[in-house]
């Protein structure tokens, strides 16, 4: 059997998933692409036999769809997710689940009421070989207790209109999830400091910013988020243990000496830095839908990270250490 997938939103990430489903993913095919921009939807399916373009999710579902990849901007997710949960359609929802904890909790509650996990959130770092190995090292305890995490999250640039809120909701949300994934703990507080800014940031954006995350057991994780860093796409993490230090790096395995430079190239963008992670994420999602055994980051992970984002945005204004408030975790996610 082959899973009939509708990709909703044919923007940057939607287009990437359409190509992946078409050329890499096994046991699934893109049969529908939905975009409010009809021409964009049509262009996205033009080269895919058996795929049709739609402007609404309902029209795509009416034609027969087994599962959905939701790749619209986060503020459009809740209105799409609630009816999909109602119909029992599995969804791989790009991050963030929703932009704020209130709407994320509504999604969690709808899923809990439905009584089964239908939503996986697109936190692709959980599928990166380096992050997986680091999680195992932490859980295994060979280097003693984990004490500190240091994250660098750098983008070459961002589109005009990228705001201080978006730097938390769209970018640092990955570190909130990575810290929860690596430690297996909830985050209890977040502090954000906006320091000296680059002149290369769009109007209204402070860049870089420094984020301090604290987990339930007291692990401190610091993040340099720097989205107009020019140098390329760089997502690295170092972990300090009682007896050693471990590093996850996206740099190429091979060191090259050429053009009077000695070093390891880094990626230009997230599509290449995390290509293997995205491929694995989508394959494991497809297989989990086919077997009916949900795996991967859940709507609860989407909600918990949304609560961290709310604390982060509050701290951008206050500069204070802001507590992360979480609702009680429904039994479905225990
Ligand atoms: C983007 O939406 C992503 O998800 C990337 O992984 C992140 O690095 C980037 O900052 C975001 O804008």
């Amino acid at each position: 059997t082959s899973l009939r997938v509708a990709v909703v939103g044919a923007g940057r990430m939607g287009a990437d998933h359409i190509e992946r489903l078409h050329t890499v993913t096994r046991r699934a095919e893109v049969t529908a692409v939905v975009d409010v921009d009809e021409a964009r939807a049509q262009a996205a399916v033009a080269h895919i036999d058996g795929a049709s373009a739609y402007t609404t999710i309902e029209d795509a579902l009416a034609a027969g769809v087994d599962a959905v990849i939701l790749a619209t901007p986060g503020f459009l997710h809740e209105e799409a997710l609630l009816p999909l949960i109602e119909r029992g359609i599995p969804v791989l929802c790009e991050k963030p689940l929703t932009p704020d904890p209130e709407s994320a909790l509504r999604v969690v509650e709808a899923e809990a009421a439905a009584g089964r996990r239908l939503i996986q959130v697109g936190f692709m770092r959980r599928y990166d070989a380096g992050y997986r190995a680091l999680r195992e090292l932490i859980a295994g305890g060979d280097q003693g207790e984990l004490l500190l995490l240091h994250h660098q999250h750098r983008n070459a640039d961002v589109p005009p209109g990228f705001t201080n809120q978006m730097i938390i909701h769209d970018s640092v949300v990955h570190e909130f999830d990575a810290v929860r994934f690596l430690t297996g703990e909830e985050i209890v507080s977040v502090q954000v400091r906006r320091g000296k800014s680059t002149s290369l940031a769009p109007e209204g954006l402070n860049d870089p910013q420094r984020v301090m995350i604290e987990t339930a057991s007291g692990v401190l994780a610091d993040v340099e988020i720097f989205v107009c860093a020019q140098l390329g796409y760089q997502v690295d993490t170092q972990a300090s243990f009682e007896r050693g230090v471990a590093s996850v790096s996206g740099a190429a395995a091979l060191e090259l000496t050429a053009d009077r430079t000695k070093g390891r190239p880094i990626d230009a963008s997230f599509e290449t830095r995390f290509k293997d992670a995205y491929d694995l994420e989508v394959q494991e999602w497809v297989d989990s839908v086919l077997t009916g055994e949900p795996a991967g980051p859940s709507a609860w992970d989407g909600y918990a990270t949304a609560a961290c984002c709310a604390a982060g945005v509050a701290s951008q204004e206050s500069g204070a250490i802001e507590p992360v408030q979480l609702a009680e975790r429904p039994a479905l996610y225990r």
Side-chain angles (χ1 to χ4, degrees):
T1 44
S2 192
L3 195 72
R4 296 170 301 170
V5 179
V7 176
V8 179
R12 182 167 171 181
M13 207 56 228
D16 197 55
H17 283 315
I18 291 166
E19 276 326 292
R20 174 172 4 269
L21 284 164
H22 186 48
T23 60
V24 179
T25 313
R26 284 157 288 128
R27 298 176 287 283
E29 57 195 318
V30 195
T31 56
V33 171
V34 180
D35 200 291
V36 280
D37 179 344
E38 193 172 358
R40 187 157 83 163
Q42 259 150 9
V45 296
H47 62 297
I48 304 179
D49 281 346
S52 307
Y54 302 91
T55 54
T56 69
I57 302 181
E58 297 76 64
D59 289 346
L61 293 183
V65 157
D66 301 313
V68 166
I69 293 187
L70 185 58
T72 53
F75 73 93
L76 293 170
H77 288 177
E78 181 187 10
E79 62 187 69
L81 288 171
L82 294 179
L84 288 167
I85 292 172
E86 193 132 290
R87 285 167 171 255
I89 306 269
V91 186
L92 175 58
C93 176
E94 265 307 332
K95 40 63 54 178
L97 177 64
T98 71
D100 56 84
E102 293 77 21
S103 54
L105 190 59
R106 286 195 290 272
V107 172
V108 160
E109 282 168 351
E111 199 184 43
R116 57 189 264 242
R117 279 186 47 191
L118 290 162
I119 298 170
Q120 176 174 325
V121 181
F123 288 127
M124 78 296 189
R125 286 196 202 173
R126 294 181 178 224
Y127 298 86
D128 176 74
Y131 283 95
R132 285 193 160 185
L134 180 54
R135 177 181 154 102
E136 272 174 38
L137 186 68
I138 293 169
D142 291 1
Q143 304 304 320
E145 289 288 313
L146 174 71
L147 306 173
L148 296 170
L149 288 165
H150 308 284
H151 297 270
Q152 293 87 43
H153 183 168
R154 302 187 183 112
N155 295 183
D157 49 34
V158 285
F162 201 87
T163 62
N164 279 333
Q165 258 206 6
M166 287 164 79
I167 210 173
I168 302 293
H169 288 168
D170 288 288
S171 304
V172 181
V173 70
H174 285 294
E175 274 74 26
F176 292 141
D177 186 65
V179 168
R180 296 177 66 258
F181 171 69
L182 291 171
T183 62
E185 296 175 35
E186 291 295 359
I187 290 167
V188 296
S189 75
V190 176
Q191 185 183 26
V192 180
R193 295 291 306 273
R194 297 179 288 159
K196 182 169 179 172
S197 190
T198 171
S199 61
L200 302 171
E203 184 72 35
L205 176 68
N206 270 91
D207 187 49
Q209 298 186 29
R210 200 121 158 85
V211 182
M212 183 77 91
I213 297 168
E214 182 184 3
T215 72
S217 79
V219 173
L220 295 179
D222 54 83
V223 184
E224 174 188 324
I225 181 67
F226 189 5
V227 296
C228 301
Q230 311 298 308
L231 50 80
Y233 188 82
Q234 191 182 27
V235 168
D236 292 347
T237 295
Q238 294 86 43
S240 301
F241 296 86
E242 289 175 302
R243 282 188 288 276
V245 171
S247 302
V248 175
S249 160
L254 202 65
E255 185 181 87
L256 188 68
T257 305
D259 297 327
R260 286 177 285 117
T261 304
K262 180 174 171 173
R264 299 173 196 275
I266 60 163
D267 288 279
S269 68
F270 47 85
E271 288 95 333
T272 54
R273 163 67 174 88
F274 287 109
K275 180 187 185 299
D276 291 348
Y278 287 122
D279 287 352
L280 186 62
E281 170 194 62
V282 171
Q283 188 64 60
E284 289 197 2
W285 171 70
V286 164
D287 290 340
S288 81
V289 171
L290 287 172
T291 59
E293 283 165 34
S298 68
W300 177 262
D301 297 309
Y303 162 70
T305 50
C308 294
C309 289
V313 169
S315 182
Q316 277 177 327
E317 289 308 316
S318 68
I321 299 173
E322 298 284 351
V324 175
Q325 322 269 9
L326 289 183
E328 207 193 313
R329 193 194 281 241
L332 185 62
Y333 310 103
R334 276 179 215 139

